[in-house]
Amino acid sequence: MIGSLVATGRRRKLAAGPRKVLIGVAALFAAWVVYANLFTISDPLILGILFVCGIYSIMFAAIGATPAAPDRIPLYDLALMVLSAACGLYFFLNAGAIADRISLLDPFTPTELVAGSALMLLTLEATRRTTGLGLTGVVLLFLAYNLFGSMLPPPFGHGVSDYTYLLDILVFTTDGVFGVPVQVVASYVFLFVMFGTFLSKSGGGEFFFNLAALVTGRSRGGPAKIAVISSGLYGTMSGSPTSDVVATGSITIPVMKRLGYKARFAAAVEVAASTGGSAMPPIMGSAAFILAEYTGVAYREVVTAALIPALLYYLGVFAQVHLRAVKDDLRPSEDEVPTAAQTFRTGWVFLIPIVGIVAALVAGYSPTFTAGVGVLGAVLASMLTRATRLSAWQIVEGFGETTLRILPVAGACAAAGLVIGGLSMTGLGMKAANVILTVSNGEPAVTLIIAAMVTIILGLGMPTPSAYILAAVLVGPALAQLGYPVLQSHLFLLYFAVLSALTPPIAVAALAAAAIADEDPFRIAFSAVRLAAVGFLLPFAFVFNPGLLMLADPFTNVLAAIGGVLATLAIAVSIEGSIGVPMRQVERLILTLAAVAAVFPVLPVALGGMLVILAVLARLTLQVRRRQAANAPG
């Protein structure tokens, strides 16, 4: 049953000729997106129309209707491609009239009614093919609420609305299909995906893997640590835990199993590490761009605030991996670790676009311009050495593959636009916020717990952007009514939208790892949750302690960062129950309570928690050294 909820249409493996045609068309589309974003001032409505309908035309050629769809393109998909193009042409030619019409007052013409209905149906089918029945079912549920919610009793009921009212808001304004989610995907998300595509095609993925191996490969449990670092570096560009697991896990999971890790733990390490990439600056996948656009907070402020929590998340996973390696005495394999010369002989060129992106962000340039710098830097850097140089056709492929990679995100965000438009039409967002506050009785901590649970439930089986968008419009108002600052509350929601990828019962990232590790996905998911425990606690910490997001004064920021590091180490040690010597339950409990105190936003409490952590860890370290001395020869 779960498989049917997350099953998507099959990516077609076209013959050489048709595939080149598809890549060429997709490359032309990508070139237009670059031109529209970097060299023109595009009208948002026109940009949304051309992007959505163009993406749909390519999507129905590239992705079949079912997991068993044939490789050839059947007649019904050709018809959907033509219909998508026809809708795009109609809306483009009539964009001026659509922009000037008065919503809910001007009646529809028969042609407008047909074109609008066709586009809505195309959006639902595109969503089903790219993200599965989970998100599609949610969209249909909200559409049903918009149409028939007037029959419900207060407080959930709303005024009577008919189909034309719904169609007007969702298709003929920029509040629905052509709304903020699609606008973000059509601009800097697309360009950042292009940056990752070119970096990967020229060998950047291998460089980051080798860099992680160089740093950690010779330490105990080295391959697992390589997985943690390389997956984080790759995940910040891909923004998709599932694709990150497939891309890096196909290398790291077999190596970990060969080293001696159980298949369950090896896969869980990869899942936890890949999931965190969507919260790792400087790119943070596509959801961070949507957060910045939705909240009005500058993207530079978002990535700056997200830096310390992301580092703490990976510190927690890294520490647990190390402690498990010490407990099981897993030694590194020197043969699989590259030298510095091997790593940087050609790989140094990939540092150029990364530096360019960071410099552009620090200088205050827009995300769109920053992404353009990254793309240009990746292409030019690849030309500096023979081993990384891209041919003309590889560049065309890079453009085309970017379009194909963006298909699931575009489908999900177009569907999310339908949900957002419907919520604004019925006011369900504020009603949901009032229900949450009523259930929690307005208690801040209880409200946050409910918000976290709702966000995880909304994200089960969904892409991170969709999960965050739904949480932002349904749960965000409740946090706002309690007075939580916008950036803190929305980063809170983003974190749990990200973590939904590894949370049972669906855990899409674990499903991807299960095929590689040959292990049960549920067992992998539960192990990944344990490894990512710090990630589930961090959002609560930075909501109450803004210093963890570097939003307080310098002294408070530094103290919060130190407390965060100690608290993360304490949680990791408490979960694993050993740092070389077994721990008593009371010691684990003390460490957990001290970890909470260390990030508490009251100076005496925080200092007390830090001192307790240091004292317990010092005592355990002394025990380890005494045991080592007792076991030493002679």
Side-chain angles (χ1 to χ4, degrees):
M1 181 178 176
I2 292 176
S4 65
L5 288 176
V6 299
T8 59
R10 177 173 175 266
R11 288 257 180 177
R12 290 193 170 97
K13 297 180 180 179
L14 299 173
R19 173 171 170 74
K20 283 190 175 182
V21 173
L22 177 63
I23 289 291
V25 172
L28 288 174
F29 179 82
W32 167 76
V33 173
V34 172
Y35 176 78
N37 279 287
L38 297 180
F39 302 104
T40 64
I41 301 176
S42 300
D43 177 84
L45 179 61
I46 293 177
L47 178 64
I49 289 169
L50 294 178
F51 182 83
V52 167
C53 295
I55 277 287
Y56 289 175
S57 298
I58 296 169
M59 182 184 298
F60 293 124
I63 301 177
T66 67
D71 286 328
R72 61 177 180 80
I73 303 175
L75 287 177
Y76 59 82
D77 276 348
L78 289 173
L80 291 176
M81 292 165 60
V82 172
L83 182 59
S84 301
C87 285
L89 183 62
Y90 172 80
F91 279 96
F92 175 71
L93 294 177
N94 294 276
I98 293 171
D100 293 337
R101 73 187 306 275
I102 302 175
S103 296
L104 310 181
L105 291 180
D106 290 346
F108 280 125
T109 65
T111 307
E112 287 174 336
L113 191 61
V114 171
S117 300
L119 186 62
M120 186 178 294
L121 291 173
L122 288 169
T123 299
L124 290 172
E125 174 60 10
T127 304
R128 188 193 66 79
R129 290 193 186 200
T130 56
T131 64
L133 291 175
L135 179 56
T136 309
V138 170
V139 175
L140 289 173
L141 182 64
F142 277 102
L143 291 178
Y145 173 78
N146 295 333
L147 289 173
F148 308 112
S150 58
M151 301 177 184
L152 296 175
F156 294 105
H158 59 76
V160 177
S161 60
D162 59 16
Y163 176 70
T164 57
Y165 182 13
L166 180 69
L167 192 67
D168 204 340
I169 297 297
L170 299 188
V171 177
F172 288 86
T173 70
T174 53
D175 293 330
V177 175
F178 307 128
V180 169
V182 160
Q183 296 292 331
V184 173
V185 174
S187 53
Y188 27 90
V189 170
F190 194 98
L191 295 178
F192 270 112
V193 171
M194 182 176 290
F195 160 71
T197 301
F198 279 114
L199 204 65
S200 178
K201 285 192 75 66
S202 56
E206 183 181 357
F207 166 70
F208 288 125
F209 182 87
N210 289 339
L211 184 63
L214 179 65
V215 174
T216 62
R218 289 183 173 84
S219 63
R220 193 174 294 186
K225 296 174 182 176
I226 293 171
V228 173
I229 296 176
S230 62
S231 296
L233 293 172
Y234 185 87
T236 188
M237 295 183 292
S238 74
S240 169
T242 305
S243 65
D244 193 358
V245 166
V246 173
T248 60
S250 58
I251 300 173
T252 59
I253 291 175
V255 172
M256 282 188 275
K257 289 174 66 177
R258 188 163 64 247
L259 178 68
Y261 282 103
K262 294 179 180 178
R264 174 182 178 180
F265 187 77
V269 169
E270 181 60 45
V271 168
S274 296
T275 299
S278 297
M280 172 61 76
I283 300 175
M284 298 175 64
S286 56
F289 300 110
I290 298 173
L291 186 154
E293 192 75 21
Y294 186 81
T295 60
V297 178
Y299 182 70
R300 180 175 60 173
E301 294 180 33
V302 173
V303 296
T304 301
L307 181 59
I308 289 179
L311 293 176
L312 292 178
Y313 174 87
Y314 276 100
L315 175 62
V317 177
F318 192 93
Q320 284 188 245
V321 165
H322 174 75
L323 293 172
R324 184 67 62 89
V326 171
K327 185 190 301 183
D328 296 340
D329 195 27
L330 300 175
R331 301 289 177 177
S333 175
E334 296 286 338
D335 297 337
E336 295 169 350
V337 180
T339 64
Q342 292 172 330
T343 301
F344 287 99
R345 182 176 296 118
T346 58
W348 65 271
V349 300
F350 301 113
L351 299 177
I352 296 174
I354 301 295
V355 171
I357 284 178
V358 174
L361 282 174
V362 171
Y365 288 104
S366 69
T368 302
F369 181 84
T370 301
V373 169
V375 172
L376 183 62
V379 174
L380 294 180
S382 72
M383 300 299 175
L384 296 178
T385 67
R386 185 184 298 274
T388 60
R389 190 169 299 142
L390 297 173
S391 67
W393 175 246
Q394 284 179 313
I395 292 176
V396 172
E397 281 187 320
F399 276 94
E401 287 175 12
T402 299
T403 301
L404 299 181
R405 287 185 180 186
I406 210 74
L407 294 180
V409 179
C413 287
L418 293 179
V419 174
I420 292 174
L423 289 174
S424 65
M425 188 176 82
T426 60
L428 180 60
M430 292 307 299
K431 295 173 187 175
N434 291 333
V435 170
I436 291 173
L437 292 174
T438 300
V439 172
S440 68
N441 199 28
E443 291 291 333
V446 178
T447 303
L448 287 175
I449 292 172
I450 294 174
M453 293 172 61
V454 171
T455 304
I456 288 176
I457 292 170
L458 290 172
L460 295 178
M462 290 193 194
T464 299
S466 304
Y468 164 71
I469 292 167
L470 292 176
V473 296
L474 287 174
V475 184
L479 301 183
Q481 287 187 41
L482 287 179
Y484 289 117
V486 171
L487 181 55
Q488 286 164 259
S489 59
H490 280 263
L491 276 175
F492 178 93
L493 297 176
L494 176 59
Y495 254 79
F496 283 103
V498 168
L499 291 169
S500 66
L502 58 74
T503 307
I506 296 181
V508 289
L511 289 172
I516 302 172
D518 193 23
E519 177 59 275
D520 182 87
F522 285 96
R523 292 163 60 86
I524 293 173
F526 283 114
S527 294
V529 167
R530 177 175 172 172
L531 282 171
V534 169
F536 288 91
L537 300 175
L538 269 171
F540 293 94
F542 64 61
V543 163
F544 290 112
N545 189 346
L548 288 169
L549 300 178
M550 294 188 281
L551 296 176
D553 60 88
F555 174 78
T556 302
N557 292 343
V558 171
L559 187 69
I562 295 172
V565 169
L566 291 174
T568 298
L569 294 175
I571 292 294
V573 172
S574 177
I575 289 173
E576 290 301 320
S578 169
I579 63 169
V581 291
M583 295 173 59
R584 294 175 295 172
Q585 291 296 330
V586 66
E587 291 175 320
R588 298 170 74 171
L589 178 61
I590 289 172
L591 275 180
T592 301
L593 295 176
V596 175
V599 293
F600 202 75
V602 176
L603 182 60
V605 176
L607 290 176
M610 294 181 205
L611 290 174
V612 170
I613 293 172
L614 289 172
V616 173
L617 293 182
R619 178 178 173 278
L620 292 172
T621 303
L622 185 61
Q623 286 183 341
V624 171
R625 291 182 176 176
R626 285 174 177 170
R627 173 174 289 190
Q628 291 173 342
N631 294 334

